[in-house]
Amino acid sequence: MKIRKNDQVLVIAGKDKGKKGKVRFAYPKEGKVIVEGANFIKKHARASGQVRQAGIIEREAPLEASNVMLICAKCDKPVRVATRTLADGKKVRYCRACQEVID
């Protein structure tokens, strides 16, 4: 999975298509990400002691990583991401449009 925590992404499919946000959590094994301000669901919660409020809670649900595209900091567009190995042996992500290193 080429999307990581704190990446700026654009949702390209689903009910929140067109929204931009920051990745709050990334789940590489499931291939899912949670994007700030996108894919809100309503969860009915029962009060458990004094910690949680009972009622209907709105929260962000995970999105498929394939439904988001990384926004390149240099060209400021949604881009595909590739990896390459630098001369010192370090593996980095880069923008396929402008060839700028992301990491």
Side-chain angles (χ1 to χ4, degrees), residues 54-74:
I56 302 169
I57 299 167
E58 273 201 7
R59 61 181 209 135
E60 294 140 347
L63 283 164
E64 283 290 328
S66 62
N67 290 342
V68 297
M69 283 184 87
L70 186 95
I71 296 175
C72 178
K74 184 182 177 193

Side-chain angles (χ1 to χ4, degrees), residues 84-92:
R84 71 163 62 126
T85 307
L86 298 176
D88 63 348
K90 187 177 177 188
K91 195 174 174 183
V92 294

Side-chain angles (χ1 to χ4, degrees), residues 24-45:
R24 291 183 55 211
F25 297 100
Y27 303 105
K29 286 185 181 177
E30 292 90 31
K32 296 187 183 258
V33 292
I34 294 181
V35 179
E36 222 170 63
N39 199 26
F40 275 99
I41 59 166
K42 291 184 184 207
K43 186 130 176 107
H44 296 260

